[in-house]
Amino acid sequence: MSTIVIEGLCKIYGPIKALDGLDLHVEQGVVFGFLGPNGAGKTTTLRILAGLARPTTGQAWIEGLPVGPESHARRLVGYLPEEPSFYPWMRAREFLADLVGGLCGMSRREAMARADEMIVLVGLEKDADRRIGGFSRGMRQRLGLAQALMNRPPVLLLDEPVSGLDPVGRRNILNLIDELRGEATVFMSTHILSDVERICDAVGILNHGRLIALDKKENLLRRYAVPVVEVNFDAAPEMVAHWAESLRELPYVVNVQLDESAVRVTLDGSIQSSVDMQRLVLGADLLVLSYQHERPQLEDVFLQLVE
Ligand code: ATP
């Protein structure tokens, strides 16, 4: 069953078409990566799903309920905005237990217990009783995530959830999102392709308000990522350059990049091209230090589609 359904969503701001007929289904329990360059319409989509903005035309549903500012669908959603804002004079624990717990309709006792649980989950134990006004961007991000999770929502909408975090914080939050798989449906936008590669099951790529790719991560990689062979020689750079130059004329070689004595060759994906490359490297009469097929990366897919 699709937990999130989007049909023909358009959002127009004056002369700008932020969304231009977006159609999208996200299955229950998956971690969905929503990718796109700056200005593609990711935040606009998330805000509409969260019931914070209305589409110009089109409609979206969460668990079968149409989304909107007055919709019950809002109760099913935890939302982390790109830049969460808080009352600066409040303390983190107070914010979660008193304000968020209250808004979620929890009893005081339940709200306090859940707030404590969330503080540990996002790693804010040491700062829980400090004023939020003094929090760093990463700390605010963690608090924003704790707030989104307070009500145990079945759907989490996360706008750039790890953007302000250091590597340790990023890993912790990604692990946490990973653990939500199956329990909640996670819809997250991000620019960090390696993070999507690590934790997302399915990926949608948005460009100019339209979806240009939607599939399981493995299928996207299989379909779009091009094979690349990297060869490192123990030879003078000019000899390597001479050999690399001769590759450019081959019909199945898409690109050749040279870095001193290392050559990176992009192939057209045919089996024959890979077999021929091995033969050409051995026939180069240069000492080979390493020869490897690079694993296709989501970044290659993204750049190929968006450019
Ligand atoms: P980023 O990755 O930079 O956060 P995004 O994919 O989230 O970008 P949006 O923030 O959804 O993109 O913006 C899509 C387009 O809509 C942009 O051209 C943006 O300038 C425009 N836009 C968004 N909100 C408004 C607004 N309130 N008023 C006018 N234009 C807006």
Side-chain angles (χ1 to χ4, degrees):
M1 192 193 96
S2 297
T3 293
I4 300 174
V5 175
I6 297 176
E7 283 183 6
L9 220 54
C10 288
K11 180 74 182 176
I12 296 173
Y13 294 108
I16 295 168
K17 254 190 187 173
L19 292 178
D20 186 12
L22 176 66
D23 294 313
L24 180 60
H25 286 224
V26 178
E27 302 306 309
Q28 189 188 0
V30 303
V31 178
F32 180 80
F34 198 41
L35 300 176
N38 289 131
K42 304 180 296 294
T43 298
T44 304
T45 309
L46 282 158
R47 284 177 52 79
I48 291 173
L49 288 173
L52 298 170
R54 292 181 200 273
T56 310
T57 54
Q59 180 65 59
W61 293 261
I62 288 184
E63 295 200 342
L65 294 173
V67 303
E70 293 91 31
S71 167
H72 281 301
R74 291 187 73 167
R75 293 180 181 273
L76 304 174
V77 161
Y79 174 56
L80 171 67
E82 196 170 3
E83 285 185 8
S85 56
F86 307 97
Y87 294 118
W89 63 87
M90 287 192 108
R91 298 167 202 278
R93 192 190 309 274
E94 182 189 5
F95 165 73
L96 290 174
D98 297 349
L99 188 69
V100 184
L103 287 171
C104 294
M106 293 178 179
S107 69
R108 170 120 186 95
R109 198 191 165 107
E110 188 191 357
M112 285 182 60
R114 183 68 179 159
D116 286 346
E117 202 184 321
M118 290 300 96
I119 283 163
V120 174
L121 195 72
V122 300
L124 276 179
E125 298 94 316
K126 282 202 297 244
D127 305 293
D129 295 307
R130 280 182 56 197
R131 289 193 198 280
I132 304 169
F135 274 22
S136 70
R137 182 162 152 72
M139 288 154 74
R140 297 162 78 88
Q141 201 80 0
R142 288 162 194 254
L143 184 59
L145 191 63
Q147 163 262 312
L149 286 166
M150 265 297 275
N151 203 21
R152 299 183 177 84
V155 176
L156 266 177
L157 305 173
L158 310 176
D159 201 352
E160 303 274 349
V162 291
S163 62
L165 302 179
D166 58 30
V168 176
R170 219 170 96 196
R171 192 190 56 203
N172 291 345
I173 297 295
L174 287 174
N175 287 345
L176 197 154
I177 296 172
D178 206 16
E179 283 164 20
L180 292 169
R181 188 191 317 277
E183 269 174 55
T185 306
V186 180
F187 187 103
M188 60 179 265
S189 79
T190 175
H191 285 119
I192 308 170
L193 293 164
S194 55
D195 291 348
V196 177
E197 207 151 353
R198 219 182 101 195
I199 64 161
C200 293
D201 308 296
V203 178
I205 301 180
L206 192 71
N207 200 17
H208 301 303
R210 283 170 176 268
L211 202 66
I212 54 169
L214 173 68
D215 214 330
K216 288 191 177 142
K217 184 179 61 189
E218 294 73 28
N219 293 347
L220 278 182
L221 290 174
R222 207 174 309 126
R223 192 141 39 104
Y224 295 104
V226 286
V228 173
V229 169
E230 194 167 299
V231 196
N232 280 290
F233 293 101
D234 185 3
E238 52 281 12
M239 289 171 74
V240 175
H242 182 67
W243 176 78
E245 237 7 81
S246 69
L247 299 179
R248 291 190 195 275
E249 282 146 36
L250 299 169
Y252 50 77
V253 170
V254 176
N255 191 23
V256 180
Q257 288 167 278
L258 194 64
D259 182 9
E260 300 272 311
S261 295
V263 186
R264 203 168 180 272
V265 189
T266 308
L267 302 172
D268 69 359
S270 61
I271 294 178
Q272 193 55 43
S273 67
S274 301
V275 175
D276 270 13
M277 266 311 293
Q278 292 182 21
R279 195 172 46 75
L280 287 165
V281 169
L282 290 175
D285 225 10
L286 301 169
L287 183 61
V288 179
L289 288 180
S290 66
Y291 175 93
Q292 64 178 27
H293 277 263
E294 275 187 12
R295 203 172 72 80
Q297 300 208 336
L298 201 57
E299 188 161 336
D300 299 327
V301 179
F302 180 81
L303 291 174
Q304 194 188 338
L305 285 170
V306 166
E307 286 175 353

